[in-house]
């Protein structure tokens, strides 16, 4: 049994500087040295191992098992969710169905402001929810350029719009990652992130139109932007609160797309494409079938987590779904991680009394949300008549595409878990507690910094999620709210991350100089919106604490 210590250098400030070294190294390699993410992750992980062994005096076997434990969570469920989500997206692309989806969405209207709402915000949010990891900005900005929008404007608008759904991207991957490092109930995290993001989702479409066209743009499309944001925000709030994180972005975006279709029909102009040139209802249904299957299978596998408020709870047949999931859960294996579970002792003041640090791992290959996406892949392959060889090619291409990103996820989770079990995260949490009552505001900005530098809300949650919990417990704040603020604040850093800027530039053909201009354009909006998240977090923390889980 090994007991944690939180002041390896005697004082809090020098100990905190030492504890932050692995994270600073990783962020330096990403943001300054411009090294690949997988390389930065490995370097940070190596630095964390050296810190745990040399400064915190953690036994080698415990440090090694903590890293393996984190890497395992990085592969399943997180890496598995990403892989199957991208595989489903690639299947839609390879069969040509995604082109039908893009064409039908892109030609709803000829008004550039309405196109920004439909494509940059609503459709971009759908792609974020279904696959994430750079694809929303790439697809949406390329579509807008194809419809006649200037490349720089298209890139900027898509970066601004790709905010509200990011915390629930790729079938809820960031929330799954946040739960894995904090051990907080995933339903509480989902609900609180939804409560933090919904107010921002309400204003982002209006904000985008205001940035795009000022008073003129707001006069022409302001009402449509209000409706689009309201529909998205309400759906995001309800789904995140009562269904869970996996379908929040997908269902919110589909609701927003539906609302915009109605508005575009009502506002139809003579210059809009002729109705007879559009795809048939049957072709549209077939094109959307992969994502219809995804919604169905995610609901089936997570039906027992859906808790509707009265009197609507009678509408959801949880008993049947629970029995189905119970059958599939026969293949689930829950066990204490060998050589780590309850072998580390957490100490005051991080906890009230000395207590063992659990390390339980759940291996659930048939019921995780990544497997729900795999079921959707198989169902789509049957409906779309995809040959086994073509499906195998999609699998191979997806494996090649995600080999290094998966390594990055595994190393970042290994780094995070090692810092948690060594006590380094607790050292940083005790330091951040010095911000006192202002910590809820800085909590959101910490997530913003993490995503700005890593380009991933999932990575930022892995790095800082448990730090938020430790600090919240020290200050007597709601730990679920503070952890959620990390994810919600982080989404506003997505628009200025180097990866996002590079993706937007490549999709629209911007030069290196224009990419720098794009960064300068978006950073002021990013700081402003992240500050709003901080203010919303302060509101929930002190004014309306009963409104969050």
């Amino acid at each position: 049994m090994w007991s944690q210590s939180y002041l390896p250098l005697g004082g809090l400030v020098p100990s905190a500087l030492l504890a932050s070294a692995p994270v600073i190294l990783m962020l330096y390699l990403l943001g300054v040295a411009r090294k690949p993410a997988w390389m930065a992750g490995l370097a940070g992980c190596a630095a964390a191992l050296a810190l745990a062994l040399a400064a915190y005096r953690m036994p080698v076997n415990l440090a090694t098992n903590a890293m393996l434990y984190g890497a395992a969570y990085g592969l399943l469920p997180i890496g598995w969710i990403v892989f199957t989500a991208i595989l489903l997206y690639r299947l839609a692309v390879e069969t040509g169905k995604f082109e039908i989806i893009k064409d039908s969405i892109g030609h709803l209207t000829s008004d550039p402001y309405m196109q920004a709402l439909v494509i940059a915000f609503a459709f971009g949010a759908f792609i974020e929810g279904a696959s994430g990891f750079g694809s929303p900005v790439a697809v949406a900005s390329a579509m807008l350029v194809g419809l006649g929008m200037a490349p720089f404007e298209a890139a900027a608008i898509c970066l601004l719009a790709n905010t509200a759904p990011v915390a629930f991207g790729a079938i809820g991957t960031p929330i799954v990652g946040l739960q894995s490092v904090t051990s907080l109930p995933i339903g509480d995290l989902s609900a609180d992130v939804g409560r933090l993001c919904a107010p921002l989702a309400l204003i982002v479409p209006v904000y985008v139109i205001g940035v795009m066209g000022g008073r003129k743009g707001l006069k022409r499309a302001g009402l449509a932007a209000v409706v689009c944001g309201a529909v998205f925000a309400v759906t995001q709030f309800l789904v995140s609160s009562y269904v869970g994180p996996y379908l929040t972005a997908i269902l919110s975006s589909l609701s927003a797309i539906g609302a915009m279709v109605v508005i575009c029909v009502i506002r139809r102009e003579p210059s809009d494409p002729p109705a007879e040139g559009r795809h048939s209802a049957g072709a549209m249904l077939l094109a959307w079938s992969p994502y219809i299957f995804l919604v169905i299978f995610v609901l089936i596998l997570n039906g027992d987590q859906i808790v509707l408020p009265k009197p609507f709870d009678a509408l959801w047949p949880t008993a049947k779904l629970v029995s189905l999931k119970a059958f599939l859960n026969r293949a689930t294996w829950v066990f204490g991680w060998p050589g780590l579970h309850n072998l580390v002792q957490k100490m005051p003041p991080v906890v009230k009394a000395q207590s063992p640090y659990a390390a339980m791992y759940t291996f659930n290959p048939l019921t995780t949300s990544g497997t729900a996406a795999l079921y959707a892949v198989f169902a789509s392959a049957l409906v779309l008549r995809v040959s086994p060889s073509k499906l195998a090619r999609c699998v191979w291409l997806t494996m090649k595409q995600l080999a290094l990103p998966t390594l990055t996820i595994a190393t970042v989770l290994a780094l995070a878990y090692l810092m948690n079990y060594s006590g380094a995260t607790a050292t940083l949490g005790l330091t951040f507690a010095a911000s006192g009552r202002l910590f809820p505001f800085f909590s959101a900005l910490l997530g913003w910094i993490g995503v700005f530098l890593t380009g991933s809300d999932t990575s930022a949650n892995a790095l800082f999620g448990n730090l938020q919990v430790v600090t919240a417990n020290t200050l007597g704040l709601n730990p679920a709210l503070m952890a959620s603020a990390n994810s919600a604040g982080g989404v506003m850093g997505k628009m200025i991350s180097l990866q996002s800027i590079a993706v937007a530039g490549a999709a629209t053909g911007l030069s290196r100089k224009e990419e720098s201009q794009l960064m300068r354009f978006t950073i002021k909006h990013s700081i402003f919106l992240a500050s709003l998240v901080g203010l919303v977090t302060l509101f929930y923390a002190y004014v309306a604490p009963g409104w969050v889980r």
Side-chain angles (χ1 to χ4, degrees), residues 187-202:
D188 291 355
L189 294 173
S190 174
D192 285 354
V193 172
R195 283 159 169 74
L196 289 168
C197 288
L200 276 299
L202 186 64

Side-chain angles (χ1 to χ4, degrees), residues 113 209-210 212-222:
Y113 299 114
I209 296 300
M212 186 178 174
R215 291 185 178 180
K216 177 184 175 182
L218 291 173
K219 184 177 181 180
R220 287 178 55 180

Side-chain angles (χ1 to χ4, degrees), residues 50-75:
L51 176 70
L53 298 178
Y56 285 88
R57 307 295 182 181
M58 189 179 193
V60 175
N61 63 314
L62 292 178
T64 302
N65 284 313
M67 293 173 62
L68 292 175
Y69 182 38
Y73 254 113
L75 296 177

Side-chain angles (χ1 to χ4, degrees), residues 7 95 131 166 203 209 219-220 229 239 283 294 418 440 519 522:
L7 302 177
T95 56
S131 58
V166 168
I203 68 170
I209 296 300
K219 184 177 181 180
R220 287 178 55 180
V239 176
L294 176 63
L418 179 56
M519 169 69 84
T522 55

Side-chain angles (χ1 to χ4, degrees), residues 167 174-175 177-179 181-185 188-190 192-193 196 439-440 443-444 447 457 460-462 464-473 477-490 537:
I175 309 298
L178 186 60
Q179 191 277 331
V181 296
T182 62
S183 298
L184 294 169
D188 291 355
L189 294 173
S190 174
D192 285 354
V193 172
L196 289 168
F439 178 71
S443 174
D457 202 42
N461 286 344
F464 300 136
N466 200 49
L467 169 61
Q468 302 273 12
V469 172
V470 171
T471 309
N473 288 330
L477 295 169
N478 183 337
L481 176 62
M482 294 304 101
S484 299
N486 193 86
S487 190
T537 307

Side-chain angles (χ1 to χ4, degrees), residues 117-271:
L117 292 175
V118 174
I119 297 172
F121 182 78
F123 186 55
F126 171 76
I127 303 173
E128 180 68 47
S131 58
F133 292 86
S135 53
V137 171
V139 173
S141 58
M143 287 175 64
L144 289 176
V145 170
L147 292 171
M149 186 175 290
F152 185 90
E153 183 180 21
I157 292 304
C158 288
L159 287 171
L160 288 176
N162 187 41
T163 50
V166 168
F168 297 96
I171 323 179
T173 301
I175 309 298
V176 174
L178 186 60
Q179 191 277 331
S180 73
V181 296
T182 62
S183 298
L184 294 169
I186 196 167
D188 291 355
L189 294 173
S190 174
D192 285 354
V193 172
R195 283 159 169 74
L196 289 168
C197 288
L200 276 299
L202 186 64
I203 68 170
V204 164
V206 178
Y207 190 86
V208 167
I209 296 300
V211 170
M212 186 178 174
R215 291 185 178 180
K216 177 184 175 182
L218 291 173
K219 184 177 181 180
R220 287 178 55 180
L223 182 58
V226 169
V227 173
C228 182
V231 170
F232 187 98
V234 170
T235 307
Q236 185 181 62
F237 175 86
L238 294 175
V239 176
S240 65
S241 297
Y242 302 115
V243 177
Y246 309 107
L247 293 175
T248 297
I250 293 176
L251 296 181
S252 300
S253 60
L254 289 176
S255 299
I257 290 172
M260 290 307 301
V261 168
V262 173
I263 293 173
C264 288
V265 170
I266 295 174
R267 293 181 43 151
R268 181 167 173 76
E269 300 176 1
S271 59

Side-chain angles (χ1 to χ4, degrees), residues 474-502:
T474 303
L475 293 171
L477 295 169
N478 183 337
L481 176 62
M482 294 304 101
S484 299
N486 193 86
S487 190
V491 306
M492 300 307 171
K494 188 79 170 179
M495 69 179 76
I496 56 172
S497 71
L498 298 176
Q499 292 92 322
S500 296
I501 296 291

